Amino acid sequence: MSSSNPITEVSPADAPERGAAGAAFGWALLASELVVLFRRRRTIAMLLALALIPILIAVAVRLSSNEVSAGQGPPFLDRITQNGLFVGITALVVAIPLFLPLTIGVAAGDTIAGEAGLGTLRYLLVAPAGRVRLLLVKFAGAAAFCLVATLTVVITGAIIGAILFPIGPVTLLSGDTISVADSVGRSLLIALYVTVSLLGLSAIGLFISTLTTVPVGAMAATIVVAVTAQILDALPQLAWLHPWLFSHYWLGFADILRQPILWDSFSDNALLQGGYILVFGALAYGRFATKDILS
Amino acid sequence: MSRVWLRWMPAVVVPAVIAVAVVAVPLQAGAVVDLPDKTAAEVLALVSDSTVSSFSGTIEQTSNLGLPDLGSALSGMSTGSSDSGTDAAASAATTALELLTGSHTARVFADGPGNLRVQVIDRLDERNLIVNGDEVWFYDSDSNEATHLSIPAGTEADARAQLEEAKTKAAAELGEMPTPAELADTLLADLDSSTEVTVGTDTAIAGRDAYELRLTPRTDETLVASASIFVDSETGMPLSVNVRAQGQQDPAFQVAFTEVSFTAPDAALFTFTPPAGATVTEQALPDHDGTSDHDFGEKPAGDLPVTVTGEGWAAVAELPAGTVDAEVTASPLFTQVTTAITGGYLFSTSLLNVLVTDDGRVLAGSVPVESLQAAAAE
C-alpha cells in the first residue's frame, strides 16, 4: 500500500539533503537559535532571577547574627559560614524543586509554540531546514539553556561565597576533606548532573510546545508537569512509580559530594533522562511532522 | 494516511523498545546459573573456609516487616529534643526502628581485619563508620558531628574483643546495617538439629554466581518460614541473606550486595581526620552494662536477667517485671508502634513479636502472639 506511493518512502528527515551543505545549515540554524535565545530579554531576566538565589542566601546568612546550627534549614546551609563554596550548592538545592523547572518550562515551552505564536514558524520551514532539524535545533537550544541556568546558579554562588565567606578545603558528606581545586571540579560535575536531570523535562516541554500555538499554555503545562511529578514522588503509596519519574533523581547530585564519588545515581539519572528524551522526542516528531503549519 | 502513520511510528516503537529493555535486562541479570552441585555440608565448608578480607561493594537492605513507615514520626522525635540525657536512648530506639522499615543503601570497604569503612547513604546526608586499626570514628554529616573511640594498647586478643565491641556500639549509634557476612555468621553460629539445611537454586548476585544455602526451621511454631544465604561460589563470602516470614511472598528482611569487588580498596579511605567545624566527641569504650536494653529483644544479652523458654526457632525470651516502666509505655512513639491486646501491648512484625505485659515484663520471640501470651501466663 505505502510502496505504491513513492513520496511516503522519503520522509523529510531523510538523507538526500543531509549533505555537507545541509549540516552546515544545521549549525548555522543552531547558532542563530542560540543567539536569539540568549539575547531575548526574557532569558536574561530568568538568568538574573536565578543568580539572585545564591546572592540572597549568602547575604541573608552573612547578615544574620545567630549561627545556623547543623541540620537546620536547607541542606548545607550551616556549612556556608565555614566555606563560601557551599553557597552555590545550597542554592542549587533550593532552586531545583521550583525555580529551575520554572525557567526550563518557559524556555522549553516556548520552542515551537513561540515561533508559531509569532507567525515565524512557517518562514523557518520555508527555508530548507526540515522539521526534524528544526526540532533538534530547538531541543539543543533548550538543553543549552539548562546548562547555562545551572552554571549561573553554581558560579554566582561560588563568586558571592568567595566574597562574603572564607574559602578553604571543602568537607564532603563522607567527612573527608578535598582541596579547593578539587571542589571546583566537583561543582562543575554537579552542574553537569543537574543539567542532565533537566533534559527530560526539556523534552516534555518541547513535545507540549508542538501541541499548541499559544506559548504561555505550553510553558504553564510544562511547569505543571514538573510540579506534578514531584508531588507524585513524595507520595509513599506510589513507591513503584518513583524510579520512573523524571524528577526522581533531581536531588541525587549529593552523591557527587561523597568520597569516593557514587556514580550510580549519575548513570541511573542519565539513563532515565535519555528515555524521556527518546519517548518525548519521538512524540514531538510524530506531532510536528504531521502537523499542518498554519502560522 | 499511511504517511501520517509512518511519522507516528517512532512514538510507538520507542516506548515499546524501552518497555522490552526494562523487562529484559533484569531477567538477563537474574539468568539461570548452573554451578557444579555441592552438598549443604560442602557449601557450609566453603563459607567457613572463606578468607576474603579485602573487598568493596554496595549493600542494599530492605525490610518488609509489615510495619508502618515511621520516617516522619521518627525524624520529628529526633529533632524535637536535643539536650536531655534520655535523648541517646531515644535516638538508639529510632535508629533501630529506622532499620526495620523501608530500605537502605550502604557502601562497605574492607581491607584486612583492621580496616573497615561503612557509609550509610541517606538522601542528602551520609553516616560513616571508619575503623582503622585501633581507631574508630563515626561521622554524621547531618549533624556534622564526629565521635572518636580509641582502643587502648593491650594484648592482641583483648584489643580484638574491644574493637568488636566498639564496632557494635558504633553500629547501634549509626543505625548501621549488618553486612551479609555478619548476618550469615549469626545465622550459622548456632546451627543445630532444629534446622534443616539444604542447597537451593544457584543464583547470580551482584554479577557473581552464588550457591543458595537454605535454612528451614523444623518446627511450625515460628514466624520464620526460611532463611537463605547466598554464597559466592569462588570466594565463599556470603553475598546476600534473606529471611522469609510465614505467609508472606516477599522476603521480610533482606541484605544483599548489589555490587562487589574483591580488590583492595584505596588505603586513603581508612584514614579519617574530622573536618574543620565538626563537633568532635571523645568517647570512652562502652562498659558492659546498659548498652543493649534498647534493642527490641533482638539479642538477649548475657548481662540481663533473661529467661528463655522453648527451643530453637520457637524460643521465647522473657525479661522480668519492671523492665519497661510506665513512662515508656505512655510515650507517643510506643503507643504508635504497639497495639493493645489482652495482657499488655504487642509490637508485631512479620518476623518478631514483642509483648510488653501490663506488669512491665517483656516477652519476645519469632513466634505467634498466642505462644507469647501462653508464655506470659505461665
Side-chain angles (χ1 to χ4, degrees), chain B residues 36-180:
Chain B
D37 288 345
K38 278 195 175 167
T39 63
E42 281 171 328
V43 179
L44 279 174
L46 185 67
V47 179
S48 58
D49 292 348
S50 173
T51 53
V52 178
S53 58
S54 298
F55 65 90
S56 54
T58 309
I59 299 177
E60 215 160 85
Q61 175 256 319
T62 38
S63 300
N64 204 343
L65 293 165
L67 280 172
D69 191 355
L70 296 163
S72 49
L74 297 184
S75 60
M77 277 209 41
S78 58
T79 51
S81 57
S82 57
D83 45 8
S84 67
T86 55
D87 191 46
S91 84
T94 50
T95 46
L97 275 175
E98 191 202 317
L99 194 66
L100 293 177
T101 56
S103 63
H104 299 87
T105 310
R107 289 194 290 180
V108 180
F109 306 91
D111 191 8
N115 292 330
L116 175 74
R117 180 159 191 168
V118 181
Q119 302 180 320
V120 181
I121 309 285
D122 300 325
R123 187 157 182 155
L124 283 170
D125 283 305
E126 188 172 310
R127 283 164 285 170
N128 269 256
L129 163 69
I130 303 112
V131 180
N132 184 2
D134 48 11
E135 304 266 324
V136 178
W137 281 98
F138 332 116
Y139 177 72
D140 185 349
S141 76
D142 183 32
S143 55
N144 200 15
E145 282 172 353
T147 311
H148 181 223
L149 270 174
S150 75
I151 293 150
T155 61
E156 187 71 5
D158 213 25
R160 182 60 41 78
Q162 282 178 319
L163 185 68
E164 285 305 316
E165 203 169 324
K167 270 201 250 179
T168 318
K169 181 165 165 57
E173 201 151 300
L174 275 169
E176 180 223 312
M177 37 207 253
T179 66

Side-chain angles (χ1 to χ4, degrees), chain A residues 25-225:
Chain A
F25 184 77
W27 289 118
L29 189 64
L30 178 60
S32 82
E33 166 71 18
L34 290 179
V35 169
V36 170
L37 175 65
F38 288 107
R39 276 212 186 135
R40 201 172 279 159
R41 262 193 215 149
R42 184 202 303 158
T43 312
I44 296 170
M46 288 194 299
L47 292 178
L48 281 177
L50 285 174
L52 269 179
I53 298 172
I55 295 176
L56 277 178
I57 291 176
V59 171
V61 172
R62 188 80 184 89
L63 292 184
S64 123
S65 49
N66 38 351
E67 185 100 346
V68 184
S69 67
Q72 267 187 344
F76 310 114
L77 190 65
D78 58 299
R79 309 281 174 91
I80 290 178
T81 45
Q82 293 148 22
N83 199 326
L85 290 173
F86 274 103
V87 174
I89 294 165
T90 311
L92 264 189
V93 178
V94 173
I96 280 177
L98 186 63
F99 296 108
L100 275 174
L102 211 69
T103 56
I104 305 306
V106 170
D110 191 50
T111 46
I112 302 292
E115 302 280 2
L118 286 172
T120 46
L121 188 54
R122 59 185 151 165
Y123 299 113
L124 274 174
L125 293 173
V126 165
R131 296 187 181 191
V132 175
R133 189 171 294 149
L134 184 64
L135 267 186
L136 288 177
V137 163
K138 285 294 185 183
F139 181 70
F145 179 79
C146 294
L147 180 64
V148 173
T150 315
L151 283 178
T152 305
V153 176
V154 173
I155 294 175
T156 324
I159 293 172
I160 191 78
I163 295 172
L164 294 181
F165 301 104
I167 289 288
V170 169
T171 306
L172 298 171
L173 287 177
S174 308
D176 300 69
T177 307
I178 55 169
S179 67
V180 174
D182 242 355
S183 75
V184 170
R186 296 227 187 190
S187 300
L188 292 180
L189 260 181
I190 289 176
L192 182 67
Y193 181 102
V194 175
T195 305
V196 171
S197 305
L198 294 168
L199 290 183
L201 181 63
S202 305
I204 295 172
L206 182 71
F207 168 60
I208 296 177
S209 191
T210 61
L211 297 178
T212 174
T213 55
V214 186
V216 178
M219 296 174 193
T222 311
I223 295 161
V224 166
V225 167

Side-chain angles (χ1 to χ4, degrees), chain A residues 188-290:
Chain A
L188 292 180
L189 260 181
I190 289 176
L192 182 67
Y193 181 102
V194 175
T195 305
V196 171
S197 305
L198 294 168
L199 290 183
L201 181 63
S202 305
I204 295 172
L206 182 71
F207 168 60
I208 296 177
S209 191
T210 61
L211 297 178
T212 174
T213 55
V214 186
V216 178
M219 296 174 193
T222 311
I223 295 161
V224 166
V225 167
V227 174
T228 312
Q230 292 181 82
I231 293 173
L232 293 180
D233 205 15
L235 295 176
Q237 285 80 4
L238 296 174
W240 55 272
L241 183 68
H242 292 173
W244 303 99
L245 293 171
F246 59 90
S247 59
H248 186 63
Y249 297 103
W250 277 4
L251 289 177
F253 70 82
D255 288 356
I256 292 167
L257 294 174
R258 306 185 195 279
Q259 182 71 353
I261 296 180
L262 182 61
W263 291 105
D264 294 13
S265 53
F266 204 104
S267 54
D268 289 353
N269 181 40
L271 212 58
L272 181 76
Q273 303 298 337
Y276 269 93
I277 293 170
L278 285 179
V279 170
F280 283 92
L283 280 171
Y285 166 74
R287 167 68 185 165
F288 193 53
T290 57

